[in-house]
Amino acid sequence: MQDMLLDMRSITKTFPGVKALDNVSLQVKTGEIHAICGENGAGKSTLMKVLSGVYPAGSYDGEIHYDGALTEMRDIADSEARGIIIIHQELALVPLLSIAENLFLGNENARGGVIDWRDTNRRTEALLRKVGLRDAPTTQVEKLGVGKQQLVEIAKALAKEVRLLILDEPTSALSESDSQKLLDLMLELKAQGMTQIIISHKLNEVRRVADSVTVIRDGQSVSSFDTSDGITEDRIVRDMVGRSMENRYPERTPEIGERIMRVADWSVYHPEHDDRQVIKDVGFDVRAGEVVGIAGLMGAGRTELAMSIFGRSWGQNISGTVEMHGQPA
Ligand SMILES: Nc1ncnc2c1ncn2[C@@H]1O[C@H](COP(=O)(O)OP(=O)(O)OP(=O)(O)O)[C@@H](O)[C@H]1O
Ligand SMILES: [Mg+2]
């Protein structure tokens, strides 16, 4: 049997009024990529926060066995000292600092109170190379896209001695190609022997990288299996939602009526940077009885579009037309 790096037993965690985790178990083998799947609010992030000491020993029931020993984490520093590094769902880089400053934040290489920038930048370069980035260490993080920021987060983890890397929904804000790069990197780190946990809703990604999967539903671990056992996506979905899903997208027959709203040639500039056009010639119709989806990646301008139309509550130099029931509004 492969060594078990992590064995979380009967973890129960309660918030006022909510039992976020109810007797959850999780076993992760050394060197594998383990996926945790579950619907929104299932308890995935809470479980990882218990593991990483965000919620310290004493604030939950159950046992964490790590590296063969019963382990109690007092805080994040404690879990990091054991090589458990978590990259949270919400990225935690400081946008106005450089890549190098972010990588060594709180961990600066200083002598006599003076930071050795030459050495810091050199080490940053080496770490960036490991995650496939060629940006200068002095680049401001704000200037990087979310895909690169995610890679910087991983480089930051690699700057510490990481044995168990936890990625909480790492690709939810990434484009298809950035997601692929990230998954490739995960496989590369695995080849180097690193154990990883990935939390994801995206079952195609889970299938691509995970060696085993634990499904959590309503704060309970409902199943756990190796992906080599020929488990189908439908089976994972069934465990996630708790009933079988014959058809994930059942047919609907909406009754669509007349056009109620029309937006045409909608253009909006950034409220602070007047040369940055955020919305460019967008147009759409909304008809009675219809649900209109606005799709796009994070940063694509979806919220800005809606807010600039609704009471012009975002942006400047707005142009274009809005009609309601055929009348200019
Ligand atoms: N700090 C908190 N205080 C109170 N309730 C919380 C807190 N954190 C999480 N919860 C609740 O615990 C449950 C599990 O939340 P958690 O964030 O772990 O879910 P998740 O599986 O990570 O969901 P998602 O896929 O949306 O990230 C939810 O009902 C959530 O509302
Ligand atoms: Mg979460």
Side-chain angles (χ1 to χ4, degrees):
M1 205 185 85
Q2 213 173 335
D3 284 351
M4 204 63 79
L5 180 64
L6 174 70
D7 185 6
M8 298 179 81
R9 299 182 192 166
S10 308
I11 305 291
T12 296
K13 167 80 191 160
T14 319
F15 296 112
V18 191
K19 204 173 207 180
L21 297 174
D22 183 7
N23 251 311
V24 171
S25 301
L26 173 71
Q27 297 188 315
V28 180
K29 297 184 209 94
T30 304
E32 75 166 348
I33 296 180
H34 192 105
I36 300 179
C37 297
E39 289 194 297
N40 291 117
K44 306 176 299 288
S45 295
T46 304
L47 185 66
M48 290 304 103
K49 286 176 181 169
V50 164
L51 172 60
S52 58
V54 173
Y55 302 131
S59 72
Y60 59 87
D61 289 324
E63 292 182 352
I64 301 175
H65 294 253
Y66 178 70
D67 211 7
L70 179 62
T71 307
E72 301 202 319
M73 253 65 83
R74 288 185 305 271
D75 51 24
I76 301 175
D78 212 13
S79 65
E80 289 197 346
R82 295 165 206 270
I84 301 173
I85 310 274
I86 181 165
I87 299 179
H88 289 282
Q89 217 162 340
E90 316 76 29
L91 292 184
L93 298 171
V94 185
L96 293 176
L97 294 184
S98 71
I99 297 177
E101 286 167 325
N102 266 286
L103 289 198
F104 293 96
L105 189 65
N107 190 19
E108 289 83 0
N109 173 18
R111 235 172 269 126
V114 180
I115 295 178
D116 184 345
W117 285 114
R118 185 140 27 130
D119 179 66
T120 300
N121 287 337
R122 209 187 50 231
R123 281 162 61 187
T124 300
E125 252 170 30
L127 288 164
L128 290 181
R129 228 174 293 128
K130 281 194 190 167
V131 298
L133 281 179
R134 275 159 213 246
D135 299 77
T138 50
T139 311
Q140 231 181 50
V141 160
E142 193 185 42
K143 303 258 154 58
L144 302 172
V146 258
K148 285 187 175 181
Q149 288 192 26
Q150 189 66 261
L151 295 174
V152 170
E153 285 269 17
I154 295 179
K156 183 171 180 178
L158 299 180
K160 302 163 191 162
E161 281 195 22
V162 46
R163 292 184 63 201
L164 175 60
L165 181 65
I166 302 164
L167 298 134
D168 194 348
E169 307 213 19
T171 63
S172 55
L174 302 191
S175 68
E176 189 57 32
S177 72
D178 282 344
S179 300
Q180 292 307 323
K181 267 187 228 152
L182 186 105
L183 298 174
D184 286 342
L185 178 62
M186 287 187 72
L187 291 170
E188 210 176 296
L189 294 172
K190 180 187 142 177
Q192 293 165 20
M194 190 185 293
T195 313
Q196 297 163 78
I197 294 176
I198 178 173
I199 295 179
S200 180
H201 291 124
K202 299 184 187 170
L203 299 183
N204 55 334
E205 297 183 349
V206 168
R207 288 185 72 82
R208 171 135 185 256
V209 299
D211 301 296
S212 51
V213 180
T214 293
V215 180
I216 298 182
R217 183 174 74 234
D218 295 336
Q220 298 182 315
S221 36
V222 292
S223 60
S224 195
F225 42 79
D226 288 348
T227 48
S228 57
D229 292 346
I231 302 292
T232 61
E233 283 187 24
D234 282 349
R235 161 74 199 282
I236 301 179
V237 172
R238 197 187 74 202
D239 288 350
M240 280 168 66
V241 300
R243 63 197 147 84
S244 73
M245 301 284 283
E246 260 73 54
N247 189 351
R248 270 198 247 171
Y249 305 101
E251 207 167 304
R252 290 177 296 129
T253 38
E255 275 176 41
I256 296 187
E258 75 210 62
R259 189 174 77 219
I260 298 212
M261 182 187 195
R262 162 163 280 183
V263 174
D265 306 318
W266 199 249
S267 289
V268 181
Y269 286 79
H270 194 280
E272 276 113 43
H273 309 283
D274 55 12
D275 57 335
R276 241 172 82 193
Q277 188 170 9
V278 179
I279 308 291
K280 205 170 174 181
D281 303 330
V282 171
F284 60 88
D285 289 348
V286 182
R287 290 174 297 170
E290 190 175 49
V291 176
V292 178
I294 301 177
L297 291 170
M298 207 156 155
R302 297 160 302 180
T303 304
E304 291 79 359
L305 171 65
M307 288 180 67
S308 61
I309 294 170
F310 182 80
R312 300 197 164 215
S313 52
W314 192 91
Q316 61 169 325
N317 201 1
I318 297 175
S319 61
T321 55
V322 179
E323 280 177 18
M324 296 298 291
H325 303 284
Q327 301 297 317

